[in-house]
Amino acid sequence: MYEYEAISQTVIDGDTERTIQLIEKALKQGFLAEKILEEGLIIGMNSVADKFKHQKVMIPEVLRSTRAMHAGMVTLNSSLQKSHKLEETTVFIGTVAGDLHDIGKNLVKMVLASSGVEVIDLGIDVSVKKFVQTVRKEKPQYLMMSSLLTTTMPVMREVIEELENRNLRSGLKVVVGGGPITDLFAAEIGADLYFDDPFRLREYLMEQHRPR
Amino acid sequence: MMKNYGKAANKLDPSRFAILSAGQLEDIHRATLALLSNTGVQVDSKKARKLFASAGAKIEKKKAAKIVKIPASLVEECINSAPGYQTYRGRLAKYDYRAEAGSYSFTTFGECTGIIDLKTRAVRQSAKDDCCQSALICDYIDAVKVVERPLNPSDCPVATQPLHNAEAIFSNTAKHSFIGPGNAESLKRMAKMAEACAAGSENFKDRKIFTATVCPLSPLTLGEDCCEIIMEAARLGIGLLIFTMPLAGATSAVTMAGTLVALNAEILSSLVLAQLAARGTPCTYGSAGTIMDLTMVDAALGAPEMAVLSAAAAQLAHCYNLPSLVCGGMSDSKLPDAQTGYEFSYSAMLCAMAAGNFISGMGVLEKGITFDYAKLLMDAEMADYIITAASGIDTSPENLALGTIDEAGPGGEFLTHDHTYNHMRSQSTVEKFDRRKRQDWLEAGGKDLAQKAYEEAAHILAEHKPAPLPGKAAEIMADIIRQYEIELGIGK
C-alpha cells in the first residue's frame, strides 16, 4: 500500500529520478506492474490533474509531473502486459494550415504521452490534404486539430467537410482545441469533441478506454 | 492570502517616482513655514497654548480665537525630534509591521457610518458586530498590515463608541490599529484595554498595539479634544496618526498647492505640539485632503485631486522622514461597480508609486460613509496587482535570462525549462478576478466579481479565527467600558 502512495507522491512532486527508483524497487519486491501503474502513477497524475483544474498548481509543475509519469511508464513497460487499452488508442495530432503556434498541441501530446497514449504528431501548418490522407491511410481512432489564430480556425471546418465527402468519418473522432476555439465553434463545424485543457481530454480518454 | 503574512515588505526606491520636483517640495515646505509663523493656527486648548508659548511660539488673540504663530526654527526642530519611520506593533510580535522609506501597504478608512449588509445587501447603519466582522476580515487580508478602524458602532452609546470599537478591533485582529479615541479620557481607558491585550507577549510593556488618530480641523484649527489627545498620547508613549482632511474650495484654497500647504501646516503644527508634550512621540503623517465638488457642494473622495494630494503628501512625509497614511482607493459610487473598480485602481496605484506607507481606502464607498465587504475583498485582490505592477522589472542577469533564451533557442519553448519552474511563483495569480475561458466561467456559475467577493467575505467570517486574546483580556476590556459608562451615567 505504502509503496503505491510513495510512487504517487513522486509523480505529484515531479521527481523523475525517484519515480524510477521506487518503481524499480517495487518490481524487485514483486509488486505487479499493473498495480503500480493504476495505484501509483495514475493516482498521482490524477491528483495533479485535479490540482490543475482547481488552479492549485502551475503548468511547469504539471509538466514535471508528466515527465515523471512518462519515465515511470517507460520503467514499467517491459513488465506490463499489453492489455492496457490506452496503449492501443491511436491518436494523430496536428496544428492546422497557416498556423505555427503549437504550444497547446505540444501540451496535449505531453499529457497524453504521460498517460501511455501514443500520439503521432503531424506537426505544424498541416494541410487539409495531409490530415485527410493520414486518416485514410492510418485509420486512427482520434484526429486532433489545434489552432491559435482566428484566421486559421476555418481550416478545421474544411478538414471535417473533406473527411465527410470521402466517407472517412466512421470510427473516427475529430477533436478540436486551441486558444480561440469554443465548444460552440466545435459543434458548429461538426467536430465530435472539444476540450479546453489537456487534462479534460485525458480524463475523457481514460474513461473511454479504461481496462474493463 | 494569510499565508504570506510577514513576507518581505513591498518596497520601492522612494525617489523613483515623484509628483513634486525637489524644487516644488522646497516651495511647499517654505510656504508652510511662512504660513505657520505669519498666519498661525488656532489652538483651542489653554494647556496646549502654554506649551507652544513656552517653546517660543507667539500667542495672539483674533476675535474670540487664540492664534498660535510658530517660528520656523521650532517647526524644523520638532520635525527632527519625531522618531521617523517606525514599527507598528501587533498584539503578537509576528504581526509587527515596520514602515520604511519606500514601503507601502493598504488599509481601510475610518470610520464609515453605514454598511451594505452582507445578507440583505441593503444599506443600513453600522453596528458593533460590523466592527468585529470587518476587523476579522482585515486580520485575514495580507495586504492590510495595520487596520484603520473601518466602521462606527452606532448601536453603542456615543460617549463610549471609541472604546467599543477598540474592543471589537483588538478582539478580532492581532494587527496594529489606528483608532480615534474621541477625547483624552477615553484614550486613557483605551490604553488600559490595549495593555491587557498585549499582556504576556514579547516586550509587552513597550507593545503599543494601537496608534491614536487625531484630526485637526481645516482650516488651520487644533480643537480642544485634538490637543488633549495629542498631549495625553505623548504622555502615555502612544503614537499619533495626525489625519487632516482639507476640502479644496471650501475649507482650504481651491488650488492643489494651496491645499497642500494648509494640510502640511495642520499636520506639522500638531506634530510640534506632540513633540513639545514629549520629545520622541511617534507621529504618522495622515492626508485625507481632497476637493469639495463645487457643483454638488459635497466632498469627492474618488476624485483625482484626492489621489494627487495623497501622493504629494506621501512625498512630503518622506522628506520629513515620517511614515505616512494617505487616502487612496476610495470611491464615490454607491455599490461595488465599475466606477468603484476604476476609482480604487488608479488612485491606490498612484499612492503605491508614491510609496505612501498606508494607503487608506479599502472597502470604502460613497465618499467615505459606506463600507462594503465586496469592495474590501475586491480591493485586496487589486492590491496584489498593484504590488506586482509597482515593483517594476528586475534586470539582474538571472532575470535577463540570456542563458535560458539561448538554450531554448529560436522556435523553442520555455514551459519545460528549469528557469521557468524556478521563477513561476513570481507570476501574478488570481483568486476572484477571472481569467478563465467563458465556458469555464459559466460552468462555475458565471458570477461577477462583486458576487464572488461577497461569498468570500461570508466564507472568511465563517472560517477565519484571529490569534486568541490572552487570559482575562476580554473581561478586563468589558470591565473598563462598563466602569466608564457607569461614571458617565450611561451604564447599566
Side-chain angles (χ1 to χ4, degrees):
Chain A
M1 250 339 260
Y2 169 76
E3 278 73 9
Y4 301 138
E5 258 175 53
I7 290 167
S8 293
Q9 194 58 46
T10 63
V11 173
I12 294 167
D13 296 341
D15 189 345
T16 302
E17 269 177 48
R18 189 124 180 89
T19 308
I20 297 170
Q21 244 176 37
L22 290 186
I23 290 179
E24 282 172 347
K25 196 172 140 204
L27 287 173
K28 263 188 208 156
Q29 289 175 344
F31 287 91
L32 280 176
E34 279 70 23
K35 293 282 259 184
I36 295 173
L37 175 66
E38 295 292 335
E39 295 185 29
L41 295 176
I42 290 180
I43 293 215
M45 203 59 215
N46 284 347
S47 155
V48 174
D50 189 60
K51 284 184 185 167
F52 181 70
K53 195 164 149 187
H54 294 99
Q55 285 125 42
K56 302 285 182 212
V57 287
M58 300 173 103
I59 196 75
E61 290 169 284
V62 173
L63 293 175
R64 289 205 159 196
S65 295
T66 60
R67 200 168 64 190
M69 173 91 185
H70 194 244
M73 298 278 299
V74 171
T75 312
L76 283 178
N77 205 26
S78 56
S79 317
L80 270 180
Q81 294 178 352
K82 294 289 174 192
S83 64
H84 199 259
K85 295 201 179 165
L86 268 179
E87 297 210 330
E88 294 159 10
T89 313
T90 49
V91 175
F92 280 76
I93 195 166
T95 300
V96 300
D99 212 326
L100 310 177
H101 302 85
D102 62 351
I103 199 86
K105 180 206 73 185
N106 291 343
L107 280 175
V108 169
K109 220 172 83 181
M110 283 188 256
V111 169
L112 294 190
S114 77
S115 302
V117 180
E118 198 192 349
V119 181
I120 299 146
D121 190 357
L122 301 172
I124 51 175
D125 197 12
V126 180
S127 65
V128 176
K129 198 172 156 194
K130 176 90 185 275
F131 276 120
V132 174
Q133 274 177 354
T134 303
V135 172
R136 200 180 53 217
K137 261 208 233 155
E138 309 286 345
K139 305 206 172 3
Q141 287 161 283
Y142 295 94
L143 179 69
M144 301 185 179
M145 294 186 281
S146 82
S147 93
L148 182 78
L149 304 175
T150 50
T151 49
T152 61
M153 285 163 61
V155 178
M156 294 180 168
R157 188 196 299 270
E158 288 175 42
V159 172
I160 292 171
E161 281 171 1
E162 204 51 31
L163 289 171
E164 267 164 19
N165 290 344
R166 291 164 191 260
N167 286 323
L168 291 168
R169 282 295 296 266
S170 70
L172 172 73
K173 285 207 155 62
V174 177
V175 185
V176 295
I181 312 296
T182 61
D183 54 347
L184 283 176
F185 175 77
E188 194 189 303
I189 64 169
D192 298 293
L193 296 161
Y194 157 82
F195 301 94
D196 67 359
D197 76 58
F199 288 99
R200 295 189 192 191
L201 169 56
R202 171 182 174 272
E203 207 176 306
Y204 170 86
L205 291 179
M206 305 235 348
E207 184 58 34
Q208 290 294 311
H209 302 276
R210 187 168 39 186
R212 287 169 215 275
Chain B
M1 272 182 268
M2 197 54 202
K3 64 179 185 291
N4 293 329
Y5 199 88
K7 72 175 178 186
N10 311 307
K11 218 172 158 218
L12 301 172
D13 170 1
S15 63
R16 206 179 64 178
F17 171 80
I19 287 283
L20 300 169
S21 67
Q24 287 181 310
L25 278 169
E26 190 62 27
D27 289 345
I28 299 287
H29 179 61
R30 294 283 151 229
T32 306
L33 293 180
L35 179 64
L36 285 170
S37 62
N38 298 332
T39 306
V41 290
Q42 177 181 324
V43 176
D44 292 342
S45 152
K46 194 174 169 186
K47 206 170 128 197
R49 285 196 301 271
K50 267 190 168 169
L51 264 179
F52 276 116
S54 68
K58 227 162 78 188
I59 313 294
E60 282 176 14
K61 198 164 178 196
K62 190 178 174 190
K63 294 178 194 164
K66 296 282 176 21
I67 302 298
V68 175
K69 294 186 173 177
I70 314 171
S73 57
L74 179 60
V75 176
E76 292 194 322
E77 179 206 319
C78 287
I79 291 170
N80 290 330
S81 75
Y85 291 103
Q86 55 184 282
T87 299
Y88 295 80
R89 307 259 173 222
R91 262 206 271 122
L92 301 168
K94 74 168 193 168
Y95 290 94
D96 288 354
Y97 178 67
R98 170 120 196 120
E100 290 173 333
S103 72
Y104 60 96
S105 64
F106 300 83
T107 190
T108 40
F109 168 79
E111 55 188 12
C112 295
T113 53
I115 184 168
I116 297 182
D117 188 280
L118 190 53
K119 288 204 182 80
T120 66
R121 306 280 159 84
V123 179
R124 58 170 172 76
Q125 276 209 313
S126 56
K128 190 171 179 181
D129 276 350
D130 303 314
C131 299
C132 294
Q133 295 186 352
S134 55
L136 183 67
I137 297 186
C138 287
D139 189 66
Y140 173 85
I141 299 172
D142 182 57
V144 175
K145 304 296 184 190
V146 171
V147 180
E148 154 83 331
R149 66 169 178 191
L151 283 155
N152 177 58
S154 64
D155 53 342
C156 300
V158 174
T160 51
Q161 278 175 0
L163 295 187
H164 283 284
N165 215 340
E167 185 186 29
I169 293 169
F170 296 162
S171 308
N172 285 283
T173 179
K175 295 176 186 176
H176 189 88
S177 51
F178 295 112
I179 308 182
N183 57 51
E185 191 51 42
S186 180
L187 171 61
K188 282 185 207 164
R189 321 256 168 168
M190 199 178 282
K192 289 256 181 285
M193 291 167 61
E195 263 172 44
C197 293
S201 58
E202 194 181 311
N203 307 325
F204 72 94
K205 281 193 177 143
D206 301 323
R207 193 158 277 287
K208 308 294 184 196
I209 65 165
F210 77 101
T211 291
T213 307
V214 285
C215 300
L217 293 172
S218 302
L220 302 171
T221 302
L222 309 187
E224 182 149 19
D225 281 332
C226 172
C227 294
E228 300 289 333
I229 294 170
I230 289 173
M231 292 182 290
E232 186 61 31
R235 193 181 70 78
L236 293 166
I238 288 172
L240 288 160
L241 164 62
I242 305 166
F243 203 18
T244 182
M245 190 177 186
L247 297 175
T251 62
S252 68
V254 74
T255 48
M256 291 299 95
T259 294
L260 195 55
V261 169
L263 179 152
N264 198 30
E266 288 159 7
I267 294 172
L268 293 183
S269 55
S270 305
L271 174 143
V272 169
L273 177 58
Q275 298 308 313
L276 293 178
R279 294 285 172 171
T281 298
C283 293
T284 305
Y285 191 106
S287 168
T290 186
I291 53 166
M292 166 76 86
D293 181 318
L294 296 172
T295 316
M296 307 279 168
V297 200
D298 203 349
L301 277 70
E305 288 89 343
M306 183 170 223
V308 79
L309 281 171
S310 287
Q315 215 186 328
L316 268 171
H318 176 63
C319 286
Y320 298 140
N321 197 35
L322 292 171
S324 60
L325 179 144
V326 296
C327 286
M330 282 190 271
S331 178
D332 296 324
S333 180
K334 318 306 170 269
L335 66 165
D337 62 357
Q339 181 184 343
T340 297
Y342 286 128
E343 287 177 342
F344 178 84
S345 303
Y346 90 91
S347 64
M349 179 79 200
L350 194 68
C351 291
M353 297 287 287
N357 296 106
F358 303 99
I359 301 163
S360 163
M362 290 176 96
V364 173
L365 293 174
E366 207 180 345
K367 306 165 194 295
I369 64 169
T370 302
F371 181 85
D372 179 47
Y373 287 112
K375 180 170 186 290
L376 177 65
L377 288 161
M378 286 156 56
D379 294 349
E381 184 135 347
M382 189 61 207
D384 290 343
Y385 267 41
I386 290 173
I387 290 165
T388 302
S391 299
I393 292 173
D394 180 344
T395 53
S396 63
E398 171 66 12
N399 280 269
L400 284 170
L402 279 181
T404 305
I405 299 168
D406 183 62
E407 279 169 36
E413 57 85 22
F414 295 85
L415 276 174
T416 55
H417 202 288
D418 283 348
H419 185 267
T420 308
Y421 184 81
N422 295 337
H423 289 272
M424 65 188 178
R425 294 285 165 200
S426 66
Q427 269 195 355
S428 68
T429 54
V430 287
E431 286 185 11
K432 294 179 293 298
F433 289 179
D434 208 294
R435 294 176 178 174
R436 288 174 292 189
K437 292 191 174 77
R438 179 172 294 275
Q439 189 57 34
D440 291 341
W441 169 74
L442 282 171
E443 278 167 17
K447 292 169 189 165
D448 78 359
L449 178 61
Q451 176 61 25
K452 284 190 266 186
Y454 281 126
E455 287 172 10
E456 188 188 15
H459 180 74
I460 297 167
L461 290 176
E463 300 292 328
H464 182 65
K465 299 278 175 280
L469 286 169
K472 294 197 174 338
E475 287 100 311
I476 294 170
M477 286 199 285
D479 281 348
I480 290 170
I481 297 174
R482 197 178 309 118
Q483 182 61 34
Y484 192 32
E485 288 182 344
I486 290 169
E487 285 174 35
L488 292 169
I490 50 178
K492 291 161 209 161

